[in-house]
Amino acid sequence: MQLTALASLPEVIQAAIADDAGRLLDCAGHGEPPTAAILVLAHATLAAACELGRRSGSGDCLEIIQLHEAGVIYLHGLPQRRVLMVRCQSVAVIPELRIACQGLAKPITTRVRPMSAPTMGLADALHAEPAW
């Protein structure tokens, strides 16, 4: 299922896929695409949950459902260190999202070309600024 089909589900406001650097790989739905800061937070939230699961012996986190004052954010881990973030109006759509995520779990090629990073020493890495 493509993101446009996912975003067309009732109750879904927007769906986006990002990599671990906060780069938007694909987006569909209403409103402005999420910023790099939001995408980094989504990835960091899922990564922290994965770490908690591994340390507690439960394994990697597959999904997170966050209930907020103005709606729901659904996070789903994808291959290649990507995260799916879906903004919804209510949790009623979560079962349909889970089914749709099965089609997204396959490795994909992105529209974003990878950037080569300069080689850094330990001192450079300690003083590096975040890219976002």
Side-chain angles (χ1 to χ4, degrees), residues 2 11 14 19 25 29 37 41 50 55 58 61 69 75 78 90-91 94 104 110-111 120 122 130:
Q2 299 295 330
E11 305 287 326
Q14 186 179 68
D19 66 9
L25 304 177
L41 283 172
C50 283
R55 288 184 184 206
S58 298
C61 180
E69 293 173 350
L75 300 175
L78 298 172
S90 75
V91 296
I94 300 299
L104 291 173
T110 64
R111 292 185 266 170
M120 296 190 320
L122 181 57

Side-chain angles (χ1 to χ4, degrees), residues 22 35-47 66 75 85 132:
T35 65
I38 290 171
L39 297 172
V40 167
L41 283 172
H43 191 276
T45 301
L46 192 61
Q66 297 180 338
L75 300 175
M85 183 179 89
W132 63 94

Side-chain angles (χ1 to χ4, degrees), residues 1-10 12-17 26-30 84 100 104 111:
M1 177 179 272
Q2 299 295 330
L3 282 190
T4 52
L6 188 67
S8 70
L9 291 173
V12 171
I13 299 167
Q14 186 179 68
I17 295 178
D26 202 358
C27 183
H30 306 290
L84 169 69
L104 291 173
R111 292 185 266 170

Side-chain angles (χ1 to χ4, degrees), residues 82-132:
R82 296 172 299 134
V83 64
L84 169 69
M85 183 179 89
V86 182
R87 291 180 41 231
C88 311
Q89 295 174 354
S90 75
V91 296
V93 73
I94 300 299
E96 290 178 77
L97 289 176
R98 287 181 173 141
I99 293 168
C101 285
Q102 293 173 359
L104 291 173
K106 299 173 185 143
I108 64 167
T109 56
T110 64
R111 292 185 266 170
V112 178
R113 300 181 94 192
M115 297 173 55
S116 61
T119 306
M120 296 190 320
L122 181 57
D124 295 328
L126 291 174
H127 299 290
E129 292 291 324
W132 63 94

Side-chain angles (χ1 to χ4, degrees), residues 54-77:
R54 284 190 292 268
R55 288 184 184 206
S56 67
S58 298
D60 283 333
C61 180
L62 303 176
E63 67 179 12
I64 296 174
I65 301 167
Q66 297 180 338
L67 304 175
H68 296 268
E69 293 173 350
V72 175
I73 294 177
Y74 175 77
L75 300 175
H76 185 85

